[in-house]
Amino acid sequence: MKKILLPTDFSGNAWNAITYALEFFKDETCLFYILHTYTPAFYRADYAMGGPAFSAIPDAGVERAQAGLENTSINIEQKFKNPNHQFKTLSAFNTLTDEIRDVTNRENIDLVVMGTQGATGAKEIFLGTHTVHAIRKSKIPVLVVPSGYVFKTIKDVLFPSDYKTSLNKKELQFLIEVVQLHNAKVKILNVNDKEDFTEDQKTNKKLLTEHLKSLDCSFEQIKDKLMPDAVHEYIAHHNIGLLAMMNRKHSFLERLLVKQNVDAIGYHTTIPFLVIPHISEQATKESKA
């Protein structure tokens, strides 16, 4: 049974991500945790004792969380009757990123599904602040759903790779399971302005091929284009249902996440994308801590 964490602020965007997750895993046995976090506009003295549970004064955040989670549960029950799915609701006086980390560790969560911030004014915003923080700190895969995106049958998954890093089978396992769940094909895309791969790249590509040998894979290469533009154009011209990317140090994704104005690099996603943490890098960081 997969354990899926669904953070919500009770917005339409959050509900859209929840409905996408329910459709995405409709044929999978899952336990979904619906999480809402809240913090007061200012900290009262009684909160210093340990949060709203220690307060004698009713807190609007607690009441809103309870009401919102109840309404969300009712909506799911009415619109998604699926015997494969079970649900738990959680509310916490905490920041969203910290609570995601705590719940992930405590409940052994397999995946976090979140919505993007969507369009703001005249600019396309790639991700909201909460989503960026969750991706950068998460030690498990995060599935990001663009605002307003409705679930469609996933036939092709795009996996960009520069072959500069050796990936192990364990960190690719969730991707493999997702592709198998949807009986999809994987298109591995390399964007390279050089004629030949280095010996390390050749080795890493061969290793990746071995790891994904159980899947229907094709390898493609694009030259003379910038990474963001190449991925965006490939998605626009092919029937891609899901973008999967490794979140590793100095990667295209990391550079994208740390940009304050993502719109400046001319890239935004129009389809859901799966962010996979680089396990070996995490282990290295923890050993040095």
Side-chain angles (χ1 to χ4, degrees):
M1 176 184 288
K2 280 191 169 50
K3 294 185 176 182
I4 316 295
L5 183 62
L6 305 174
T8 180
D9 58 1
F10 310 130
S11 65
N13 188 39
W15 172 251
N16 183 69
I18 290 174
T19 60
Y20 181 88
L22 299 183
E23 291 288 352
F24 190 93
F25 291 105
K26 66 180 180 180
D27 297 322
E28 185 86 357
T29 302
C30 297
L31 173 57
F32 292 97
Y33 293 79
I34 304 172
L35 169 68
H36 177 73
T37 61
Y38 57 92
T39 53
F42 57 90
Y43 288 88
R44 302 190 315 234
D46 49 348
Y47 273 106
M49 299 176 61
F54 288 81
S55 176
I57 306 173
D59 185 270
V62 178
E63 296 173 358
R64 180 174 181 270
Q66 293 174 340
L69 289 171
E70 182 176 351
N71 289 335
T72 301
S73 298
I74 292 173
N75 286 334
I76 291 174
E77 175 63 26
Q78 291 176 343
K79 300 176 181 178
F80 298 92
K81 296 183 182 296
N82 190 334
N84 292 325
H85 294 168
Q86 301 177 39
F87 301 89
K88 287 185 178 181
T89 57
L90 303 170
S91 62
F93 174 81
N94 202 353
T95 63
L96 179 60
T97 305
D98 288 345
E99 191 62 24
I100 287 176
R101 178 199 61 206
D102 293 346
V103 174
T104 295
N105 293 335
R106 184 174 69 246
E107 302 294 341
N108 196 26
I109 300 295
D110 297 299
L111 173 73
V112 180
V113 181
M114 301 181 69
T116 60
Q117 182 171 307
T120 301
K123 293 185 177 181
E124 290 285 351
I125 304 300
F126 182 73
L127 296 172
T129 303
H130 292 312
T131 311
V132 170
H133 290 328
I135 289 174
R136 295 187 71 188
K137 294 186 178 183
S138 180
K139 295 183 179 180
I140 64 171
V142 178
L143 177 60
V144 181
V145 184
S147 179
Y149 189 90
V150 178
F151 180 82
K152 302 171 186 176
T153 301
I154 299 174
K155 296 180 180 180
D156 292 291
V157 176
L158 181 63
F159 184 65
S161 176
D162 56 15
Y163 308 131
K164 291 181 180 179
T165 303
S166 176
L167 303 178
N168 63 53
K169 184 74 174 287
K170 183 178 180 181
E171 58 196 350
L172 291 169
Q173 187 58 40
F174 193 87
L175 172 63
I176 293 171
E177 292 174 4
V178 163
V179 172
Q180 291 174 334
L181 175 64
H182 293 278
N183 194 29
K185 299 178 181 179
V186 180
K187 296 182 181 297
I188 301 168
L189 180 67
N190 174 259
V191 181
N192 191 354
D193 57 2
K194 297 181 180 180
E195 290 297 323
D196 299 310
F197 291 139
T198 65
E199 290 303 313
D200 283 344
Q201 285 178 303
K202 292 177 182 178
T203 299
N204 292 334
K205 180 181 178 181
K206 184 177 180 180
L207 185 61
L208 179 61
T209 304
E210 177 65 21
H211 290 333
L212 301 180
K213 65 181 180 181
S214 62
L215 306 179
D216 185 349
C217 296
S218 62
F219 291 79
E220 302 189 36
Q221 188 177 60
I222 295 177
K223 293 186 177 182
D224 301 321
K225 283 187 180 294
L226 296 175
M227 176 63 172
D229 296 333
V231 171
H232 179 66
E233 290 178 14
Y234 193 95
I235 291 172
H237 292 95
H238 296 78
N239 187 28
I240 303 299
L242 180 69
L243 171 64
M245 302 184 74
M246 297 299 303
N247 185 17
R248 59 181 179 77
K249 190 175 181 180
H250 304 311
S251 69
F252 156 67
L253 178 58
E254 186 187 63
R255 295 196 304 271
L256 194 65
L257 294 178
V258 299
K259 281 281 188 180
Q260 291 186 348
N261 182 8
V262 179
D263 185 60
I265 67 170
Y267 180 84
H268 64 275
T269 184
T270 56
I271 63 172
F273 73 105
L274 178 67
V275 182
I276 305 170
H278 199 298
I279 297 174
S280 56
E281 283 189 353
Q282 288 181 356
T284 300
K285 290 178 182 178
E286 291 172 358
S287 65
K288 293 180 178 179

